[in-house]
Amino acid sequence: MEEFLERSLQMIEQAGWLAPLFFILLHVFRQVFFVPVLFICLLGGYIFGTFYGSVYSVIGLTLVSIIFYGIIELFPSLRGKLGRLQEKILLGKHQLNIAQLMVLRMMPFVHFHVISIYLLKTTSSFRQYTKRSLLVSIPPAIVYTAFGDMIHELPLAGTIVFIAFLLILMLVLRKKETTISWETFFQKN
């Protein structure tokens, strides 16, 4: 993996005007080599700077989500298996709003496609899924690109404080309404 990343970095740096395209494709192929989103976004900030690195990362992450949508549509059994995994990780039937999904997407230990499968389950069309995937991809692209070195080099205590902050932020941003179905409310005993 390390050799792949070094070769990718060299190729992107030497590509000139094709570098953004290669970087976006690196986002797409990173899954195959189990490279975390965090590292690719850090790389984007290193090579392109905060603004362009963020833009290219948002494009790459959205493209990954679109490809994931296509794969899930081709293999419905995979959708069921990933859906059960997503329910275990996100604890069942909680309704998460866009702000919470943005925070979850920034957490390095939450797998990228867990959020994608949640978006897939909660959207009614490809267009809505793509729009929400784009929105949810913006914060991690910006944060990891702009502050990646700081997050990456934080001591353990700093990392724990940052993760605690993200968890508190997710709880504060949660949806504050409860929906009870008609059948549940008027259950026959």
Side-chain angles (χ1 to χ4, degrees), residues 12-178:
I12 290 170
E13 287 177 339
Q14 296 171 356
W17 62 274
L18 287 174
L21 177 66
F22 289 143
F23 179 72
I24 291 168
L25 289 175
L26 183 62
H27 266 290
V28 172
F29 291 110
R30 74 169 170 74
Q31 283 105 209
V32 176
F33 299 102
F34 302 105
V35 178
V37 173
L38 169 71
F39 185 76
I40 301 300
C41 290
L42 286 172
L43 189 62
Y46 176 77
I47 296 172
F48 301 110
T50 302
F51 179 75
Y52 290 111
S54 296
V55 169
Y56 301 147
S57 288
V58 167
I59 293 168
L61 293 173
T62 305
L63 188 58
V64 167
S65 295
I66 290 169
I67 291 169
F68 178 77
Y69 184 93
I71 290 171
I72 290 298
E73 290 299 313
L74 284 174
F75 302 103
S77 63
L78 182 62
R79 182 181 189 156
K81 290 177 185 177
L82 289 174
R84 287 188 294 278
L85 176 65
Q86 172 262 317
E87 287 176 7
K88 286 181 185 177
I89 292 173
L90 297 180
L91 303 176
K93 298 180 181 180
H94 295 290
Q95 293 292 328
L96 300 173
N97 60 29
I98 292 293
Q100 286 177 307
L101 292 171
M102 288 175 169
V103 172
L104 276 174
R105 190 59 57 93
M106 284 192 299
M107 292 184 181
F109 55 85
V110 176
H111 195 278
F112 186 85
H113 292 306
V114 168
I115 305 301
S116 294
I117 197 73
Y118 182 84
L119 287 171
L120 193 66
K121 288 173 119 180
T122 58
T123 55
S124 59
S125 67
F126 174 73
R127 182 178 181 169
Q128 186 181 26
Y129 170 82
T130 304
K131 181 180 174 184
R132 288 189 182 170
S133 293
L134 173 75
L135 289 173
V136 171
S137 296
I138 292 171
I142 292 171
V143 169
Y144 290 161
T145 302
F147 301 109
D149 278 336
M150 182 184 76
I151 293 170
H152 184 65
E153 294 180 13
L154 276 177
L156 180 59
T159 303
I160 291 170
V161 168
F162 182 70
I163 289 172
F165 169 74
L166 289 177
L167 288 171
I168 291 169
L169 186 62
M170 190 179 105
L171 290 173
V172 169
L173 295 173
R174 76 180 182 272
K175 197 173 190 176
K176 294 174 177 72
E177 64 182 54
T178 303

